[in-house]
Amino acid sequence: MGHIRLGRLPKTRKWRAVFSALESAAPNAPDLAAATAEAAEERFAALAGDPIINFCFWTLVRIATSARSGDFTDELLRLGFRVTSFTSGLSFVHQLSQAVERQSRLRGEPNVFSRMAQLGLREVVSANILEQSRSLFGTETVGIQAAWRALSTEARFGRVARQFFADLMSRSLRYLVDKELSNHVGPEGSFASPSVVLEFHKSLDGYCFESAKIVEEFASGWFSKHNWQSNNNITEANTAGFTAYAIEKIAMELQEGRR
Amino acid sequence: MFRTGFGQEIPRYLDDLLWVASFVYMADRGVLRYTPKDVFADRWCRGFRMVVPVWDLALWQDPKVQLALDETLRFLTGDEWSFEFVQRAEGEPIQKVLHFHEPIHPLPRADVVILFSGGADSLAAVLEAVQQGHRPVLVSHRAAPVVDARQRNLVGLIRKRYPAWDFPHISMWVNRKGGPRTKEQSQRSRSFLFASLGVVTAAMLGLDDVRLCDNGVVSINLPQSGQNVGTFLTRSTHPRHLELLQEFARILTGRAGLTIRNTFIYKTRREVFEDIRASGHPELLQETVSCAHLEAMTKQQPHCGVCSQCIDRRFASIAAEMQMYDLAKRYEKDIFIGPLGEGVERTHAENYVRFARLLEELPNADAFFKQFPELYDCLPTDGNPDWHGEQLWSLFQRHQQNVNGVLDLMIGHHAALIRRGTLPPTSLLGLMGRGQHVVDPRDRCAHRLRDLLCSALPSAFQTEEARSERHVQDVGEAVFQGAMETLYRETPQLPFGAVTTKADFSDLPTDGAKPLFLEFKYVRGRDRLNGIQTEMTSRVLVYRQQGACVLFIVYDPNAAITNIGQFTVDFECHEGVWVGVAR
């Protein structure tokens, strides 16, 4: 019990730049992100068409739009929630997590990246409830709806979309980089200690967020336009194009970052 | 068909359960899910379509049973499972591989079933049940002879200490016999088989209390690094798995009161070890084995010392002050001072301490849930989520305190090696680098502040050159003030002061905390450099006399300082003095 499966990156030409970035005297987020995004280019490109990742983003869209209307709880039921009365932010995200998991099964085979998208969705929803309501504990249904209503404006939703895609990309990079990173920790390594690794992860997260700026700008306009055109009813098919665009753009930004 | 030692034949629907669980286990082991070349783990999640003959076809075709089985296995293994049940034919030979090994007759007057692996936590579960006045039946899965011998030995020792009860031990062989070699080692479905043995035993004895116990930190198994995603981490005793399993078992057996629970879910391993000590039989700890590689280990050294289980056990026994019952020499490798091989060994060790360090940084339960959204899977469907959320936060905070406390202790214990510089750099203590995991919080704060100001100043003077040192101070102070709320939030114990003309020591904190002052210097050209160095030297003396710390931000737009490293080290060799050069 309590076993953990670990993996390593292959020492092939494709991943050579990642090893070089890890071995450099002063590893930095842009170089490592660029090298990793380049090595994983094909796999990252495939994420653009992943139906579960798109479903996670669409769920964010639906929560935000329904919070503005009177049928918040009805929309939650349509999204697969089994309970629509919440005693706290924790119970809301818990129900959301289970609903998304159930619905995801209907959309395709799971993989590590779709799992990361689900976790990213939970993180973004938690962060925004926290930002609006100050705590995940004790915030009830009315407070949760109010929090999401505040986030459903054009500008605020752009920010939420940026958080979601930046988080997905950051998790994807850390998933790969962490397969090797521990071998470079210590007085003789590029990372002086585990604490330095934590700082590095933070800078990698921050760098992904910066790289996703273009998503925020585009998402704001996209959200406003499609919401208006669809009369507050953006469909899952509507978001597929945006999801693909967002992933492609961030991956491209990361690859070009060090140039 | 399964024969039992209960003096009665196993009911057919329970026979089916063992049959299904065995099929699942063998299918899980027979299909490779991962190769080192599969960097993106695209083959990790597999799809199984099982056609299983059963006796009680109507029961197994019930959509409720199928849905519950499906959800349980999906969460446990991360795979997709689809079952087609068909009628099992009469007259099939009796299953010889799967059978209850110990004849038990008459039926014991037991009141709880404990799944017994022979590890420290399952021992503690037995001792806990005895302390509570229960009469447990122990159920084991024998995957290998060495495991069997260890379990039997431990049961024998328990019987000697508690002669008032027999501790009936039901142990079942379930493994491959003949056919192709098993390919997959992850065995994520093993827990389902193990628990099924427990459910069958409970149903046969008419009991409703089944316990599958492991400490909370291991049960919840939060990711310690970015590469730990989904079922890369086992979920054998995860609260959601047990909840799903219990629901499935209730539907299948028709026993609405049947519970499958982990009584240690909110206990750290240290606390579980302390329970063993409190039982009055701490010596039993040394008879248990927690290692993931138990088949490859020797009797003298049953623990490899470097797998995630061994690391956690070693830390827990030190934290619980039970090293005398968990001797270091019983570990093949000393995690603290032994060199760790590149790859799995170093990764487990580094991830373990990094995880504890990250937990230490988290300010509250909200941040904990945001950082680890996997935690939402631990909340029960029924019950108060906030209460469980607080329990989880408290559990992992205690865990980090244990781990970080042991690290501090071991650094002290091996201080001579560190001082002499003979500590292997790839040992766990060696990986701590220059002790940065225990860096004074003032250090971290000063570095953050330095990075903030050094990156902001050049941008602030992009269009307009700094007119004077006062001008640099004003801009720097504005940057500092803007970020102050964040900085205070990160290190609330540190008071700040920004020096514009001279340090004001009249308002020093009375609680003993050292204030951190900021002082700005502007190097217009090389001719000012010597003067500035002299000023800084004299300032260092003043700050130290006053018991204060200082961060010098030297704005050097024309690169007058030729060797920044040498420039800063001359000052930073003094405690409580930091220097940042902005250009």
Side-chain angles (χ1 to χ4, degrees):
Chain A
M1 293 175 192
H3 296 182
I4 302 169
R5 173 62 72 98
L6 299 176
R8 296 198 65 181
L9 295 177
K11 290 189 172 168
T12 57
R13 195 167 58 182
K14 191 177 170 184
W15 295 94
R16 194 177 293 158
V18 178
F19 284 99
S20 299
L22 282 169
E23 285 158 9
S24 72
N28 63 79
D31 281 353
L32 197 55
T36 312
E38 208 162 304
E41 187 176 12
E42 275 180 37
R43 189 65 185 87
F44 282 3
L47 299 184
D50 190 305
I52 299 178
I53 295 176
N54 182 53
F55 174 70
C56 290
F57 176 61
W58 180 67
T59 302
L60 265 183
V61 172
R62 293 309 308 158
I63 294 172
T65 49
S66 60
R68 286 208 283 200
S69 63
D71 67 345
F72 184 60
T73 52
D74 290 342
E75 181 59 28
L76 295 183
L77 287 174
R78 282 192 288 273
L79 283 171
F81 279 61
R82 288 182 177 165
V83 175
T84 55
S85 175
F86 310 104
T87 53
S88 74
L90 286 186
S91 65
F92 177 79
V93 188
H94 178 223
Q95 287 296 327
L96 169 75
S97 308
Q98 297 207 348
V100 167
E101 248 185 69
R102 283 191 295 268
Q103 294 295 315
S104 293
R105 283 177 216 152
L106 308 173
R107 285 164 172 81
E109 289 180 7
N111 55 62
V112 290
F113 297 98
S114 62
R115 172 69 180 169
M116 287 187 243
Q118 290 176 358
L119 293 171
L121 171 66
R122 297 179 191 184
E123 185 178 334
V124 170
V125 171
S126 304
N128 284 294
I129 293 175
L130 264 175
E131 189 181 311
Q132 299 294 320
S133 310
R134 293 185 180 275
S135 180
L136 290 162
F137 291 75
T139 304
E140 296 186 358
T141 314
V142 176
I144 291 163
Q145 182 173 0
W148 278 96
R149 194 181 300 123
L151 294 165
S152 64
T153 62
E154 185 180 324
R156 300 300 295 272
F157 185 79
R159 187 85 173 172
V160 171
R162 178 181 174 180
Q163 285 173 338
F164 173 75
F165 287 106
D167 183 275
L168 173 63
M169 201 45 77
S170 181
R171 283 178 186 273
S172 303
L173 293 177
R174 277 189 275 135
Y175 165 73
L176 294 165
V177 168
D178 269 10
K179 288 176 185 286
E180 286 300 330
L181 207 149
S182 299
N183 296 317
H184 302 275
V185 177
E188 294 177 355
S190 319
F191 301 86
S193 71
S195 294
V196 175
V197 176
L198 287 180
E199 292 301 319
F200 184 77
H201 273 175
K202 283 179 199 161
S203 65
L204 196 60
D205 291 347
Y207 180 65
C208 285
F209 187 71
E210 286 307 311
S211 301
K213 191 170 193 311
I214 191 166
V215 173
E216 180 173 347
E217 291 159 3
F218 187 68
S220 298
W222 174 88
F223 182 68
S224 170
K225 180 184 162 191
H226 281 76
N227 228 0
W228 182 74
Q229 283 179 343
S230 65
N231 193 22
N232 267 351
N233 193 22
I234 295 175
T235 65
E236 199 173 342
N238 288 151
T239 55
F242 179 82
T243 299
Y245 168 86
I247 291 172
E248 281 165 16
K249 276 291 176 192
I250 302 176
M252 202 185 298
E253 285 285 322
L254 291 175
Q255 280 195 52
E256 290 177 352
R258 64 176 169 178
R259 286 173 203 156
Chain B
M1 181 185 291
F2 298 96
R3 292 282 179 197
T4 79
F6 286 91
Q8 64 184 69
E9 280 214 346
I10 187 168
R12 290 198 154 187
Y13 75 98
L14 294 178
D15 189 352
D16 289 338
L17 173 59
L18 292 180
W19 190 258
V20 170
S22 307
F23 267 103
V24 166
Y25 179 60
M26 285 303 153
D28 177 24
R29 298 209 65 184
V31 179
L32 202 59
R33 62 157 89 216
Y34 185 83
T35 64
K37 285 183 182 171
D38 186 14
V39 178
F40 303 108
D42 287 327
R43 294 176 59 189
W44 180 263
C45 302
R46 303 159 300 181
F48 290 97
R49 183 169 180 276
M50 312 277 287
V51 180
V52 187
V54 289
W55 298 121
D56 197 339
L57 187 60
L59 176 66
W60 288 91
Q61 283 183 334
D62 181 342
K64 278 186 186 169
V65 171
Q66 293 219 9
L67 183 66
L69 174 63
D70 186 43
E71 288 202 348
T72 305
L73 289 175
R74 185 184 286 115
F75 183 77
L76 180 66
T77 66
D79 299 314
E80 294 294 317
W81 295 86
S82 153
F83 289 90
E84 183 187 336
F85 294 106
V86 295
Q87 187 61 54
R88 197 168 164 190
E90 295 287 347
E92 282 189 6
I94 291 171
Q95 172 60 260
K96 291 180 179 170
V97 179
L98 300 167
H99 62 102
F100 288 108
H101 198 70
E102 289 188 354
I104 297 168
H105 189 76
L107 292 180
R109 292 172 295 103
D111 55 6
V112 58
V113 174
I114 295 179
L115 292 155
F116 184 73
S117 68
D121 292 44
S122 67
L123 165 69
V126 176
L127 298 176
E128 178 196 56
V130 174
Q131 304 292 319
Q132 291 168 346
H134 288 296
R135 299 181 303 275
V137 168
L138 314 185
V139 176
S140 300
H141 166 214
R142 283 188 281 176
V146 63
V147 181
D148 182 38
R150 198 166 288 132
Q151 288 169 352
R152 280 169 180 267
N153 172 52
L154 196 51
V155 172
L157 294 170
I158 295 170
R159 282 173 180 154
K160 277 184 191 164
R161 281 156 182 79
Y162 297 96
W165 176 240
D166 287 342
F167 296 90
H169 183 208
I170 298 168
S171 184
M172 271 185 68
W173 282 110
V174 183
N175 58 7
R176 178 189 58 85
K177 194 170 184 182
R181 263 183 83 82
T182 48
K183 297 174 182 173
E184 181 54 45
Q185 298 302 315
S186 57
Q187 302 188 59
R188 294 295 184 260
S189 69
R190 186 171 169 267
S191 162
F192 180 71
L193 173 64
F194 195 23
S196 296
L197 301 179
V199 170
V200 169
T201 308
M204 295 283 292
L205 297 174
L207 305 179
D208 277 338
D209 191 354
V210 178
R211 299 184 185 182
L212 178 50
C213 299
D214 211 339
N215 70 83
V217 175
V218 162
S219 298
I220 290 160
N221 218 356
L222 284 179
Q224 298 181 354
S225 99
Q227 70 161 314
N228 306 147
V229 182
T231 50
F232 281 20
L233 303 151
T234 51
R235 294 169 167 175
S236 307
T237 47
H238 190 284
R240 176 139 177 238
H241 170 58
L242 295 192
E243 189 180 58
L244 291 166
L245 192 65
Q246 177 178 279
E247 181 63 15
F248 167 68
R250 282 179 177 180
I251 295 171
L252 190 78
T253 61
R255 301 176 75 89
L258 180 67
T259 58
I260 301 176
R261 59 196 178 118
N262 175 5
T263 55
F264 298 154
I265 189 61
Y266 292 131
K267 285 188 177 179
T268 63
R269 182 165 268 171
R270 171 193 176 157
E271 289 157 358
V272 170
F273 282 13
E274 286 170 345
D275 284 353
I276 294 176
R277 187 174 55 202
S279 75
H281 303 292
E283 74 286 356
L284 290 177
L285 178 63
Q286 63 203 352
E287 306 298 333
T288 65
V289 176
S290 308
C291 184
H293 307 110
L294 72 178
E295 283 183 67
M297 305 312 298
T298 63
K299 257 187 175 177
Q300 289 70 34
Q301 289 186 315
H303 291 103
C304 72
V306 290
C307 69
S308 57
Q309 288 294 292
C310 283
I311 296 172
D312 197 41
R313 178 182 168 115
R314 186 86 198 279
F315 270 78
S317 63
I318 295 170
E321 297 180 10
M322 289 178 73
Q323 302 101 305
M324 68 289 277
Y325 305 113
D326 190 45
L327 300 173
K329 67 180 181 187
R330 302 261 291 163
Y331 291 80
E332 189 177 67
K333 200 168 259 190
D334 188 330
I335 186 77
F336 294 105
I337 55 171
L340 301 172
E342 188 181 309
V344 173
E345 290 187 5
R346 227 178 288 173
T347 303
H348 275 315
E350 191 273 330
N351 287 178
Y352 187 79
V353 294
R354 192 207 302 172
F355 177 62
R357 180 72 191 89
L358 175 58
L359 291 170
E360 189 185 20
E361 277 190 354
L362 296 174
N364 54 39
D366 282 315
F368 182 44
F369 271 81
K370 181 175 168 291
Q371 179 74 38
F372 294 104
E374 291 85 353
L375 287 165
Y376 289 106
D377 289 330
C378 303
L379 300 177
T381 305
D382 300 317
N384 181 345
D386 286 12
W387 183 85
H388 287 280
E390 290 291 356
Q391 295 301 311
L392 290 165
W393 165 242
S394 169
L395 169 74
F396 279 89
Q397 279 306 299
R398 297 195 310 274
H399 170 71
Q400 68 85 2
Q401 285 159 8
N402 292 340
V403 174
N404 290 317
V406 168
L407 281 173
D408 291 344
L409 189 74
M410 296 311 280
I411 287 171
H413 190 68
H414 296 290
L417 288 180
I418 297 169
R419 176 174 52 77
R420 292 184 204 124
T422 52
L423 189 69
T426 60
S427 63
L428 182 57
L429 295 184
L431 292 182
M432 314 291 3
R434 293 178 290 276
Q436 296 218 6
H437 71 296
V438 286
V439 163
D440 187 323
R442 291 172 306 169
D443 239 3
R444 289 198 294 272
C445 173
H447 287 160
R448 271 201 296 275
L449 208 49
R450 182 192 65 193
D451 294 346
L452 170 77
L453 291 164
C454 287
S455 62
L457 280 181
S459 307
F461 293 117
Q462 261 177 349
T463 51
E464 188 192 354
E465 199 178 307
R467 292 187 298 276
S468 62
E469 196 161 274
R470 181 60 189 263
H471 189 193
V472 175
Q473 287 166 351
D474 289 347
V475 170
E477 211 171 322
V479 172
F480 165 62
Q481 292 295 345
M484 199 162 179
E485 192 195 343
T486 312
L487 292 163
Y488 262 115
R489 205 161 43 224
E490 287 171 351
T491 50
Q493 74 276 33
L494 286 177
F496 290 96
V499 177
T500 48
T501 51
K502 63 176 184 178
D504 176 6
F505 297 110
S506 61
D507 195 23
L508 289 182
T510 54
D511 59 359
K514 282 188 175 184
L516 173 66
F517 286 85
L518 296 176
E519 188 155 338
F520 294 89
K521 296 291 172 194
Y522 179 25
V523 188
R524 275 171 178 272
R526 271 184 210 286
D527 53 334
R528 268 287 287 148
L529 193 56
N530 276 345
I532 282 175
Q533 279 179 305
T534 310
E535 282 172 27
M536 286 169 67
T537 307
S538 64
R539 290 288 203 193
V540 165
L541 195 65
V542 175
Y543 286 113
R544 293 188 71 196
Q545 281 172 347
Q546 295 293 334
C549 305
V550 59
L551 167 61
F552 291 106
I553 299 295
V554 183
Y555 182 49
D556 178 31
N558 302 314
I561 302 169
T562 49
N563 186 340
I564 293 177
Q566 189 57 51
F567 179 82
T568 55
V569 83
D570 287 346
F571 295 100
E572 289 189 340
C573 62
H574 301 285
E575 192 192 342
V577 179
W578 298 273
V579 180
V581 177
R583 52 168 64 156

